[in-house]
Amino acid sequence: MQGKLIVFEGVEGCGKSTQLQALAKQLTAPEGRITTPGYPEGVPIITTREPGGTLLGGELRQLLLGRAMASPTELLLYAADRAQHVEEVIRPALAAGHWVLCDRFIDSTVAYQGYGRGLDLALIQLLNQVATGGLTPDLTLWLQLDVAMGLSRTRQRGDNDRIEQADLAFHQRVQLGFETLAQQHPERIVPIDAAHPPAAVTAAIFTVVEQHLQPWPNRLQT
Ligand code: Z5A
């Protein structure tokens, strides 16, 4: 029985972390197993994130968000974080039939390092392939939000990390990256209007997950 990988993507402050936790809560009982009627019964849910989904990844996250570095260095560290994360957390969980809800994954590298930093897209695709061994999400929820609105949300929260200080133009290039990816991969990337209040966004996400769920229970029984 193979699990499912559901990824949350979008610009800073779009509400990924909030919505990932909301979906996990809505799907599960306190012990972390799917209990929502209609969903494959008893399937455990795991929540994780990039960068920082492993012990090593936690150290890489501190480096990545804590200090200035050359763009290729940054790209290689995100790839290293992902390789460890896939090997240590995501693949074993999927092999055990778990559903993995992940805050950022391969599309963030294309959007941030590719469109944002201007690094070679073919090279990024290759590194993503190396880091994941070809694993792609079953569903990517792209929380679509105006860049300025997202940044204003994170600034209200008092965040001040390195990438969030970068200029608006950088974040707009990142946004273009997500837009382009959504056009290129409509089979797995679903845009969600993230400008609404949190509960409305959660409801929209739940509907999308339900729609994508329909073929899943049968496959889970095989
Ligand atoms: N990065 C990269 O460059 N390349 C890569 O390959 C990968 C990542 C994997 C991770 O930092 C950084 O790594 C990120 C990209 C880069 N860039 N930065 N900075 P992070 O994990 O610290 O940051 P983030 O991923 O961008 O998450 P975030 O800033 O915490 O945003 P979020 O998770 O999307 O949003 P949130 O935490 O759920 O909500 C933000 C605030 O808005 C918070 O106060 C909420 O209460 C509020 N909020 C949430 N939803 C709403 C709604 N609907 N209305 C109003 N207010 C809301």
Side-chain angles (χ1 to χ4, degrees):
M1 183 172 77
Q2 179 74 7
K4 296 291 165 197
L5 176 57
I6 302 174
V7 173
F8 290 70
E9 294 277 15
V11 294
E12 274 90 303
C14 66
K16 294 175 287 82
S17 315
T18 304
Q19 293 304 328
L20 186 153
Q21 293 306 330
L23 179 63
K25 195 171 166 202
Q26 193 156 359
L27 286 171
T28 63
E31 66 270 22
R33 285 177 174 266
I34 294 177
T35 56
T36 304
Y39 284 74
E41 204 178 321
V43 174
I45 289 200
I46 285 171
T47 60
T48 186
R49 68 173 177 183
E50 289 192 0
T54 62
L55 215 54
L56 174 64
E59 294 178 22
L60 294 173
R61 181 183 173 90
Q62 280 194 342
L63 285 174
L64 279 162
L65 302 187
R67 63 166 65 209
M69 62 184 71
S71 296
T73 313
E74 185 181 76
L75 170 63
L76 291 168
L77 290 181
Y78 278 115
D81 171 73
R82 181 160 306 128
Q84 191 66 27
H85 191 209
V86 168
E87 172 91 11
E88 196 180 314
V89 176
I90 299 180
R91 272 198 193 280
L94 294 177
H98 299 183
W99 284 21
V100 179
L101 309 189
C102 186
D103 194 336
R104 297 198 181 280
F105 197 55
I106 47 174
D107 297 328
S108 279
T109 315
V110 175
Y112 281 86
Q113 281 64 55
Y115 285 79
R117 300 272 184 242
L119 296 179
D120 183 69
L121 291 172
L123 173 65
I124 291 172
Q125 208 178 347
L126 185 63
L127 282 172
N128 272 341
Q129 169 72 29
V130 171
T132 63
L135 178 73
T136 51
D138 293 284
L139 173 63
T140 300
L141 298 157
W142 169 38
L143 272 62
Q144 211 178 358
L145 187 70
D146 175 69
V147 165
M149 196 181 285
L151 290 175
S152 106
R153 281 185 190 171
T154 59
R155 288 193 176 122
Q156 271 170 24
R157 191 178 58 185
D159 274 15
N160 196 27
D161 72 35
R162 181 173 65 84
I163 296 176
E164 284 166 351
Q165 287 169 14
D167 60 336
L168 199 61
F170 170 80
H171 291 282
Q172 275 158 349
R173 291 197 300 277
V174 171
Q175 181 83 297
L176 175 65
F178 283 122
E179 283 165 9
T180 308
L181 282 163
Q183 282 164 12
Q184 288 170 345
H185 304 283
E187 75 292 350
R188 73 165 170 88
I189 302 180
V190 179
I192 305 282
D193 186 346
H196 298 297
V201 180
T202 305
I205 286 175
F206 201 70
T207 301
V208 168
V209 171
E210 272 184 324
Q211 284 164 357
H212 277 73
L213 171 83
Q214 291 314 314
W216 292 358
N218 291 336
R219 276 199 252 156
L220 284 169
Q221 280 159 18
T222 58

